[in-house]
Amino acid sequence: MSKYLLIMRGTDETNAAMMADLDQMMAATHQFIEDMMKADVLVAAEGLDDPRLGVVVDFRGEAPVVTDGPYGETRELFGGYFVLDVATKQEAVEWAKRVPAVRGSKIEVRRVAEADEVPQGERDGRI
């Protein structure tokens, strides 16, 4: 089994559409989570707070610069995620296709690297 991250991506417009019918979206999401739990594939699921309440730490210069949200382009906002433990990428994709989402949003599917796939430091195992 491998872990896959389903990243919920939306825009200002899709977030507004979701908020317009929030009760229905929450009910559908609750059912989706129950389905994943019954299938024993759900590892974690979280939604994220409004991007206007976040910050970005930018490392482009010599010293990190902290900027209050909203930050940068908001064409695709990272709105939350599900972590699934499934046998194949295709199984993760099939679950992603079932995510309750409004028209125009996207779900990015990415495999979570195992510890032995991450380069280790030479002396103490740090990256």
Side-chain angles (χ1 to χ4, degrees), residues 5 14 20 26 54 60 67 89 92 120 126:
L5 183 65
T14 61
M26 293 302 290
R60 286 184 286 184
T67 305
K89 179 167 68 172
Q120 301 295 312
R126 293 185 187 178

PDB file of all heavy atoms in Angstrom, residues 5 14 20 26 54 60 67 89 92 120 126:
ATOM      1  N   LEU A   5      -1.766  11.785  -1.534  1.00  0.00           N
ATOM      2  CA  LEU A   5      -2.338  13.040  -1.079  1.00  0.00           C
ATOM      3  C   LEU A   5      -3.263  13.557  -2.164  1.00  0.00           C
ATOM      4  O   LEU A   5      -2.853  13.695  -3.315  1.00  0.00           O
ATOM      5  CB  LEU A   5      -1.204  14.040  -0.820  1.00  0.00           C
ATOM      6  CG  LEU A   5      -1.568  15.405  -0.270  1.00  0.00           C
ATOM      7  CD1 LEU A   5      -2.166  15.280   1.126  1.00  0.00           C
ATOM      8  CD2 LEU A   5      -0.332  16.290  -0.224  1.00  0.00           C
ATOM      9  N   THR A  14     -14.625  29.331  -7.433  1.00  0.00           N
ATOM     10  CA  THR A  14     -15.132  28.036  -6.978  1.00  0.00           C
ATOM     11  C   THR A  14     -15.389  28.049  -5.478  1.00  0.00           C
ATOM     12  O   THR A  14     -16.331  27.416  -5.000  1.00  0.00           O
ATOM     13  CB  THR A  14     -14.183  26.875  -7.350  1.00  0.00           C
ATOM     14  OG1 THR A  14     -12.920  27.066  -6.723  1.00  0.00           O
ATOM     15  CG2 THR A  14     -14.021  26.759  -8.852  1.00  0.00           C
ATOM     16  N   ALA A  20     -21.859  29.171  -1.425  1.00  0.00           N
ATOM     17  CA  ALA A  20     -23.256  29.473  -1.733  1.00  0.00           C
ATOM     18  C   ALA A  20     -24.171  28.320  -1.348  1.00  0.00           C
ATOM     19  O   ALA A  20     -25.348  28.537  -1.053  1.00  0.00           O
ATOM     20  CB  ALA A  20     -23.408  29.799  -3.218  1.00  0.00           C
ATOM     21  N   MET A  26     -21.116  20.315   2.625  1.00  0.00           N
ATOM     22  CA  MET A  26     -20.662  19.677   3.865  1.00  0.00           C
ATOM     23  C   MET A  26     -21.282  18.288   4.016  1.00  0.00           C
ATOM     24  O   MET A  26     -20.601  17.349   4.430  1.00  0.00           O
ATOM     25  CB  MET A  26     -21.002  20.551   5.072  1.00  0.00           C
ATOM     26  CG  MET A  26     -20.233  21.865   5.097  1.00  0.00           C
ATOM     27  SD  MET A  26     -18.435  21.654   5.095  1.00  0.00           S
ATOM     28  CE  MET A  26     -18.188  20.986   6.713  1.00  0.00           C
ATOM     29  N   GLY A  54      -3.781  33.638   6.477  1.00  0.00           N
ATOM     30  CA  GLY A  54      -2.467  32.999   6.479  1.00  0.00           C
ATOM     31  C   GLY A  54      -1.352  33.981   6.166  1.00  0.00           C
ATOM     32  O   GLY A  54      -1.579  35.183   5.966  1.00  0.00           O
ATOM     33  N   ARG A  60      13.197  34.115  -1.168  1.00  0.00           N
ATOM     34  CA  ARG A  60      13.911  34.536  -2.383  1.00  0.00           C
ATOM     35  C   ARG A  60      15.084  35.447  -2.104  1.00  0.00           C
ATOM     36  O   ARG A  60      16.047  35.460  -2.858  1.00  0.00           O
ATOM     37  CB  ARG A  60      12.951  35.230  -3.348  1.00  0.00           C
ATOM     38  CG  ARG A  60      12.012  34.247  -4.041  1.00  0.00           C
ATOM     39  CD  ARG A  60      11.160  34.941  -5.035  1.00  0.00           C
ATOM     40  NE  ARG A  60      10.141  35.691  -4.296  1.00  0.00           N
ATOM     41  CZ  ARG A  60       9.161  36.364  -4.847  1.00  0.00           C
ATOM     42  NH1 ARG A  60       9.071  36.441  -6.146  1.00  0.00           N
ATOM     43  NH2 ARG A  60       8.274  36.988  -4.105  1.00  0.00           N
ATOM     44  N   THR A  67       4.822  37.782   4.540  1.00  0.00           N
ATOM     45  CA  THR A  67       3.767  38.585   3.934  1.00  0.00           C
ATOM     46  C   THR A  67       2.423  38.045   4.398  1.00  0.00           C
ATOM     47  O   THR A  67       2.169  36.841   4.325  1.00  0.00           O
ATOM     48  CB  THR A  67       3.831  38.502   2.392  1.00  0.00           C
ATOM     49  OG1 THR A  67       5.137  38.874   1.978  1.00  0.00           O
ATOM     50  CG2 THR A  67       2.804  39.400   1.748  1.00  0.00           C
ATOM     51  N   LYS A  89      -1.884   4.156  -7.725  1.00  0.00           N
ATOM     52  CA  LYS A  89      -2.237   5.522  -8.094  1.00  0.00           C
ATOM     53  C   LYS A  89      -3.632   5.554  -8.708  1.00  0.00           C
ATOM     54  O   LYS A  89      -4.411   6.473  -8.438  1.00  0.00           O
ATOM     55  CB  LYS A  89      -1.219   6.112  -9.061  1.00  0.00           C
ATOM     56  CG  LYS A  89      -1.580   7.537  -9.484  1.00  0.00           C
ATOM     57  CD  LYS A  89      -0.464   8.263 -10.192  1.00  0.00           C
ATOM     58  CE  LYS A  89      -0.162   7.680 -11.535  1.00  0.00           C
ATOM     59  NZ  LYS A  89       0.793   8.494 -12.309  1.00  0.00           N
ATOM     60  N   ALA A  92      -6.210   5.778  -6.114  1.00  0.00           N
ATOM     61  CA  ALA A  92      -6.265   7.144  -5.579  1.00  0.00           C
ATOM     62  C   ALA A  92      -7.014   8.062  -6.531  1.00  0.00           C
ATOM     63  O   ALA A  92      -7.820   8.900  -6.108  1.00  0.00           O
ATOM     64  CB  ALA A  92      -4.850   7.675  -5.328  1.00  0.00           C
ATOM     65  N   GLN A 120      19.162  10.977   2.551  1.00  0.00           N
ATOM     66  CA  GLN A 120      19.566  11.139   3.945  1.00  0.00           C
ATOM     67  C   GLN A 120      20.900  11.870   4.021  1.00  0.00           C
ATOM     68  O   GLN A 120      21.761  11.678   3.168  1.00  0.00           O
ATOM     69  CB  GLN A 120      19.699   9.775   4.630  1.00  0.00           C
ATOM     70  CG  GLN A 120      18.414   8.972   4.621  1.00  0.00           C
ATOM     71  CD  GLN A 120      17.321   9.623   5.439  1.00  0.00           C
ATOM     72  OE1 GLN A 120      17.538  10.027   6.571  1.00  0.00           O
ATOM     73  NE2 GLN A 120      16.143   9.744   4.859  1.00  0.00           N
ATOM     74  N   ARG A 126      19.856  13.586   8.754  1.00  0.00           N
ATOM     75  CA  ARG A 126      19.091  14.789   8.441  1.00  0.00           C
ATOM     76  C   ARG A 126      19.199  15.105   6.959  1.00  0.00           C
ATOM     77  O   ARG A 126      20.191  14.814   6.334  1.00  0.00           O
ATOM     78  CB  ARG A 126      19.582  15.983   9.240  1.00  0.00           C
ATOM     79  CG  ARG A 126      19.322  15.838  10.704  1.00  0.00           C
ATOM     80  CD  ARG A 126      19.721  17.087  11.424  1.00  0.00           C
ATOM     81  NE  ARG A 126      19.599  16.842  12.864  1.00  0.00           N
ATOM     82  CZ  ARG A 126      19.920  17.728  13.768  1.00  0.00           C
ATOM     83  NH1 ARG A 126      20.386  18.892  13.402  1.00  0.00           N
ATOM     84  NH2 ARG A 126      19.768  17.458  15.021  1.00  0.00           N
TER      85      ARG A 126
END
